[in-house]
């Protein structure tokens, strides 16, 4: 009977094609939505995931990288006392108001003051050493290429941030932010751009460890000391997750995206189940014939379930191929999309679950597969 399910799909593929397309497009929507959610909200942790630091130290209760407050610079001494800490680097976050050479209205920028040394920890994974070196020039900044039109500026041109003149010395990629434009500069330049005079210390202190696998243990050791004022410590992975969770679950944008994801799944389930039910209804006379020949309803249910499995698998295959093309196209246009293995497996599980639920719903149509149907 199981072979019958596959043969039915092969010889009557036109009947099942709408269901395959429904599953495929439902899977494609879920795949792209997961990639967009990870890409957009993952950009809130870019400052952590794009850097080489293993442990971050910042103000207690910080909910996202962009919501930090200044801490005492002397905490660096406490961090260096830990035998696992190899190096500590300050990171300065400044909120800025951008005025470019072309009128663009008000543009909010996130200024990241980093160490421009070639072996600097901050943005080590997205900023090549040669470009970092350009930041050593006073008032030099680097912006993401996707923000050039928004900022109304080009390389070599002057602009102002918080009333201070800056010059664009480099254009990078992979620095797209959420809610504002990321601007990179040296620590000295960032201090000149900071109008909040009471904030004299760094926003964060970032440490590299001799053994990065000890990040959680080192962060736990660094917490709880109040000798240098209020501060706390996180491993890099924990701090990145905290930032993403804040934007995903504690902001209106995240709630809207999660709600939309639920709607997409619900609509996909309804459309797919209806198309699969229609396909089973179209085969009701064949099922009635098999029932008259002695094939039980339980065996016919297995046939329907296997048909649902293959409909889901083939729809998923088409969605994967089209999804890869669309993701590559999105990346070429600087659209923030990220798809990792756990997200891909989640998408596969959702699509196959959708097909299974649709198959269970379609099994109700087998009640009409009575041999008496053949006499009507």
């Amino acid at each position: 009977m199981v072979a019958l399910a596959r043969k039915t799909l092969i010889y009557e593929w036109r009947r099942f094609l709408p269901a395959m397309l429904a599953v495929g497009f439902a899977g494609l929507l879920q795949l792209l939505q997961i990639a967009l959610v990870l890409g957009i909200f993952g950009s809130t942790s870019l400052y952590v995931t794009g850097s080489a630091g293993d442990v971050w130290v910042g103000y207690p209760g910080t909910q996202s990288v962009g919501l930090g407050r200044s801490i005492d610079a002397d905490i660096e001494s406490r961090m260096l006392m830990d035998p696992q800490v190899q190096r500590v680097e300050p990171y300065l976050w400044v909120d800025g108001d951008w005025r470019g050479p072309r009128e663009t209205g008000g543009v909010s920028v996130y200024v990241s003051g980093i160490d421009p040394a070639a072996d600097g920890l901050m943005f080590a994974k997205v900023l090549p050493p040669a470009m970092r070196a350009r930041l050593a020039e006073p008032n030099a900044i680097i912006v993401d290429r996707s923000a050039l039109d928004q900022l109304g500026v080009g390389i070599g041109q002057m602009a102002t941030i918080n009333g201070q003149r800056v010059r664009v010395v480099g254009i990078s990629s992979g620095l797209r932010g959420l809610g504002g434009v990321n601007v990179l500069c040296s620590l000295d330049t960032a201090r000149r751009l900071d109008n909040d005079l009471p904030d004299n210390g760094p926003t964060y202190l970032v440490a590299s460890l001799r053994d990065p696998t000890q990040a959680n243990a080192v962060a736990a050791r660094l917490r709880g000391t109040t000798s240098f004022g209020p501060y706390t410590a996180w491993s890099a992975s924990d701090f990145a997750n905290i930032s993403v969770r804040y934007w995903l679950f504690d902001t209106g944008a995240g709630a809207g995206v999660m709600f939309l994801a639920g709607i997409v799944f619900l609509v996909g389930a309804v459309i797919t189940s209806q198309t699969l039910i229609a396909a089973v209804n179209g085969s009701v006379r064949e099922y009635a014939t098999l029932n008259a020949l002695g094939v039980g309803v339980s065996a016919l249910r297995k046939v329907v379930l296997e048909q649902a499995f293959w409909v889901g698998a083939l729809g998923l295959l088409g969605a994967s191929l089209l999804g890869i093309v669309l993701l590559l196209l999105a990346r070429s246009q600087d659209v923030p999309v990220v798809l990792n293995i756990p997200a891909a497996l989640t998408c596969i599980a959702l699509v196959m679950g959708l097909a299974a639920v649709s198959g269970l719903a379609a099994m109700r149509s087998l009640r009409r597969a009575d041999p008496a149907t053949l006499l009507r």
Side-chain angles (χ1 to χ4, degrees):
M1 294 305 296
V2 173
L4 176 64
R6 291 194 292 269
K7 289 182 179 178
T8 304
L9 285 172
I10 293 173
Y11 292 106
E12 298 186 24
W13 60 270
R14 291 181 182 84
R15 183 175 295 169
F16 291 93
L17 182 60
M20 293 178 193
L21 292 176
V23 172
F25 278 106
L28 182 63
L29 279 175
Q30 290 169 6
L31 181 74
L32 294 179
Q33 193 162 38
I34 289 176
L36 281 171
V37 167
L38 291 179
I40 293 172
F41 292 98
S43 65
T44 61
S45 63
L46 163 70
Y47 319 92
V48 182
T49 57
S51 303
D54 302 309
V55 170
W56 282 60
V57 170
Y59 200 84
T62 300
Q63 302 181 71
S64 176
V65 179
L67 301 177
R69 299 175 63 180
S70 61
I71 56 176
D72 195 323
D74 291 338
I75 297 173
E76 179 177 353
S77 302
R78 167 66 185 89
M79 296 172 69
L80 290 172
M81 290 171 63
D82 192 287
Q84 274 290 337
V85 175
Q86 188 174 35
R87 177 184 171 189
V88 178
E89 185 177 300
Y91 172 48
L92 189 59
W93 176 286
V94 178
D95 291 321
D97 179 40
W98 173 274
R99 294 286 187 272
R102 190 156 48 84
E103 187 55 55
T104 57
V107 178
S108 297
V109 294
Y110 302 145
V111 179
S112 290
I114 64 173
D115 185 348
D119 59 347
L121 299 177
M122 287 303 303
F123 297 103
K125 299 176 184 176
V126 294
L127 206 60
M131 191 170 289
R132 299 178 70 94
R134 300 179 194 174
L135 294 178
E137 176 186 332
N139 297 337
I141 64 169
I142 291 175
V143 299
D144 189 86
R145 65 178 180 180
S146 64
L148 291 179
D149 289 340
Q150 188 177 358
L151 297 175
V153 72
I155 191 166
Q157 291 186 310
M158 304 293 292
T160 62
I161 297 177
N162 292 342
Q164 302 292 325
R165 289 176 64 81
V166 294
R167 190 171 79 89
V168 179
V169 298
I171 296 172
S172 185
S173 61
L175 296 174
R176 198 165 199 167
L178 178 63
V181 177
N182 283 318
V183 173
L184 307 189
C185 63
S186 68
L187 287 164
D188 291 337
T189 299
R191 291 188 183 100
R192 282 192 288 271
L193 300 178
D194 189 2
N195 290 333
D196 196 358
L197 294 178
D199 290 343
N200 295 321
T203 313
Y204 298 100
L205 288 168
V206 184
S208 63
L209 305 182
R210 292 180 173 82
D211 182 5
T213 62
Q214 299 297 313
N216 286 321
V218 173
R221 285 200 295 269
L222 292 176
R223 292 188 203 113
T225 304
T226 58
S227 305
F228 300 94
Y231 76 91
T232 191
W234 311 270
S235 66
S237 58
D238 284 350
F239 195 35
N241 291 333
I242 288 172
S243 295
V244 173
R245 284 201 302 268
Y246 169 76
W247 281 93
L248 194 55
F249 298 112
D250 295 339
T251 65
V257 170
M258 296 297 288
F259 178 76
L260 183 60
I263 293 296
V264 167
F265 181 79
L266 182 62
V267 171
V270 171
I271 294 176
T272 305
S273 62
Q274 292 304 308
T275 52
L276 196 56
I277 288 172
V280 172
N281 284 338
S283 304
V284 69
R285 294 184 67 83
E286 288 83 351
Y287 293 135
T289 302
L290 291 172
N291 197 1
L293 293 174
V295 178
V297 175
S298 60
L300 294 177
R301 286 175 177 167
K302 292 180 181 176
V303 171
V304 173
L305 279 180
E306 189 182 351
Q307 286 172 341
F309 170 80
W310 285 110
V311 165
L314 294 173
L316 188 61
L317 178 62
S320 300
L321 296 176
L322 187 55
I324 290 172
V325 174
L326 291 177
L327 289 177
L328 291 176
L329 178 63
R331 287 200 170 185
S332 68
Q333 300 300 314
D334 291 324
V335 177
V337 289
V338 173
L339 188 64
N340 50 33
I341 292 177
L345 292 177
T346 301
C347 189
I348 291 173
L350 285 174
V351 172
M352 295 309 294
L354 192 65
V357 170
S358 302
L360 292 173
M363 284 169 58
R364 297 172 55 190
S365 301
L366 291 178
R367 290 180 298 183
R368 298 172 52 195
D370 191 279
T373 307
L374 301 173
L375 302 177
R376 297 172 186 168

